[in-house]
């Protein structure tokens, strides 16, 4: 029968916070886009999307797009971000090519593997992860990094074909994906570079001078080999040992000490 799960704060030391925080930041970055801000498109494809040759550009994504509005007072084209994205189904653009589908699938897999790996690492903030589980989390984060990078193949869609005079530049969504891939890469490197050995369970020891002296020493197994004594175990992972003498002692609640 496996023993009970021992929960205590940062058993793998503070080093665990480095890959865990980086992976969580990557997951948030990959989520911080509204679906139609992946790239800024210019060229003939803009007219195909809007049916208007006066609109200079459009902000496009994997499944939708958004067009700017001309403000006469400022004599400038600006995108109203309060409006909803328009679907490609309403236009003549074919959004079912291999680059479209591959980018969508890779983006989903990056979120799934990256989120799972990040969750694994944060669980290690209160319980002990074996070396195998530690490396498994690193593998998941590394897969997320690769998938997030492959999601950028969206720029190979016919809509961004430079030979046809089109141009797609990185916008907020693509920049977020690139940042997420970089953060996941650094997090995976931190995981594979070092496995933080779990700290031994701390123990509180009662001193020989009839007063309670708090001391953080090694594991409880090492205590039994040095001196004889009794130990009381508490539910928070700490123990109390009585080393005052070699006789049998019991704890008295009335006197507040060992009798």
């Amino acid at each position: 029968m496996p023993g009970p799960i021992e929960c205590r704060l940062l058993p793998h030391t503070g080093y665990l916070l480095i890959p865990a925080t980086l992976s969580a930041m990557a997951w948030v970055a990959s989520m911080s886009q509204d679906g139609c801000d992946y790239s800024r498109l210019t060229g003939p494809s803009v007219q195909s999307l809007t049916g208007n040759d006066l609109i200079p550009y459009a902000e496009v994504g994997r499944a939708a797009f958004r067009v700017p509005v001309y403000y006469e007072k400022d004599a400038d084209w600006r995108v109203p971000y309060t409006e909803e994205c328009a679907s490609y189904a309403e236009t003549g653009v074919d959004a079912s090519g291999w680059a479209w589908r591959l980018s969508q699938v890779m983006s989903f897999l990056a979120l799934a593997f990256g989120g799972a790996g990040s969750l694994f690492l944060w669980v290690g903030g209160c319980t002990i992860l074996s070396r195998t589980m530690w490396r498994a989390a690193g593998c998941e984060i590394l897969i997320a990094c690769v998938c997030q990078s492959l999601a950028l193949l969206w720029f190979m869609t016919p809509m961004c074909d430079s030979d046809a005079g089109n141009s797609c530049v990185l916008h907020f969504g693509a920049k977020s994906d690139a940042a997420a891939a970089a953060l996941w890469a650094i997090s995976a490197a931190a995981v594979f570079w070092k496995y933080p050995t779990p700290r031994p369970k701390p123990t509180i020891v009662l001193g020989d001078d009839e007063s309670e002296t708090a001391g953080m020493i090694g594991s409880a197994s090492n205590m039994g080999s040095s001196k004889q004594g009794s130990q009381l175990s508490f539910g928070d992972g700490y123990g109390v040992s009585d080393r005052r003498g070699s006789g049998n002692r019991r704890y008295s609640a009335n006197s507040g000490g060992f009798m």
Side-chain angles (χ1 to χ4, degrees):
M1 293 290 294
I5 297 177
E6 178 185 323
C7 185
R8 50 195 173 98
L9 182 62
L10 293 178
H12 290 280
T13 71
Y15 181 82
L16 176 137
L17 296 177
I18 298 176
T21 302
L22 290 173
S23 62
M25 291 172 60
W27 192 84
V28 172
S30 64
M31 289 285 291
S32 58
Q33 46 188 298
D34 62 2
C36 56
D37 59 354
Y38 201 72
S39 174
R40 176 163 288 190
L41 170 68
T42 57
S45 293
V46 176
Q47 183 177 357
S48 301
L49 281 175
T50 63
N52 190 335
D53 58 356
L54 297 178
I55 299 177
Y57 64 90
E59 292 186 358
V60 294
R62 295 188 179 98
F65 69 98
R66 186 186 283 119
V67 296
V69 175
Y70 184 74
Y71 292 85
E72 295 183 359
K73 181 179 179 180
D74 300 326
D76 189 23
W77 291 87
R78 293 200 301 269
V79 175
Y81 290 103
T82 55
E83 296 184 2
E84 295 184 358
C85 302
S87 173
Y88 290 122
E90 304 172 0
T91 68
V93 175
D94 182 15
S96 60
W98 70 268
W100 296 87
R101 298 304 181 193
L102 179 63
S103 179
Q104 293 173 352
V105 171
M106 291 297 104
S107 179
F108 171 78
L109 292 178
L111 285 174
F113 282 101
S118 179
L119 181 61
F120 258 116
L121 293 178
W122 281 110
V123 168
C126 62
T127 188
I128 294 177
L129 297 178
S130 66
R131 190 179 296 269
T132 301
M133 294 180 63
W134 177 263
R135 291 179 177 176
C139 290
E140 289 183 323
I141 295 174
L142 182 60
I143 293 174
C145 173
V146 174
C147 292
Q148 196 72 74
S149 301
L150 292 176
L152 293 172
L153 291 176
W154 177 90
F155 286 93
M156 298 183 66
T157 57
M159 187 172 61
C160 297
D161 186 7
S162 59
D163 294 336
N166 299 306
S167 175
C168 290
V169 296
L170 298 177
H171 201 42
F172 182 79
K175 291 178 180 178
S176 297
D177 278 2
L183 290 171
W184 267 321
I186 300 173
S187 177
V191 170
F192 290 120
W193 181 65
K194 178 182 178 181
Y195 170 69
T197 304
R199 295 178 299 176
K201 184 166 63 174
T203 304
I204 299 178
V205 180
L206 300 181
D208 295 331
D209 56 353
E210 299 296 329
S211 63
E212 294 185 0
T213 304
M216 307 302 292
I217 65 174
S219 62
S221 60
N222 295 331
M223 292 175 53
S225 60
S226 59
K227 289 186 178 181
Q228 294 181 348
S230 59
Q231 178 171 330
L232 300 178
S233 178
F234 294 88
D236 56 358
Y238 291 84
V240 177
S241 294
D242 176 27
R243 296 186 177 182
R244 296 171 296 171
S246 59
N248 295 328
R249 295 179 180 269
R250 62 183 179 84
Y251 187 82
S252 175
N254 296 328
S255 62
F258 287 91
M259 303 296 294

